[in-house]
């Protein structure tokens, strides 16, 4: 389960091309960029169980950004 999930637009105007995000998973902090096409680019370490984490991030971004 992801904890303390935060996101913000990459640019102050809030327009695309994407968002930066951070969260804690298994007591480790992870960061990345979420692109408009749904691609996730890790800006640090890649979390274990990456595919499960990516699915959760997609769900959170869909809920918070697109709806």
């Amino acid at each position: 389960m992801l904890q303390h999930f935060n996101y913000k637009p990459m640019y102050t105007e809030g327009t695309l091309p994407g968002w930066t995000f951070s969260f804690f998973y298994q007591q480790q902090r992870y960061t990345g960029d979420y692109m408009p096409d749904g691609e996730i680019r890790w800006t640090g370490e890649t979390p274990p169980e990456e595919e499960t984490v990516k699915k959760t991030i997609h769900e959170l971004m869909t809920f918070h950004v697109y709806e």
Side-chain angles (χ1 to χ4, degrees), residues 26-37:
Q26 297 179 348
Q27 300 179 338
Q28 171 108 14
R29 185 172 188 266
Y30 296 96
T31 59
D33 297 330
Y34 189 86
M35 307 311 289
D37 64 357

Side-chain angles (χ1 to χ4, degrees), residues 33-52:
D33 297 330
Y34 189 86
M35 307 311 289
D37 64 357
E39 178 186 3
I40 293 174
R41 297 180 187 162
W42 301 108
T43 55
E45 299 274 330
T46 302
E49 303 171 13
E50 180 182 14
E51 291 306 313
T52 301

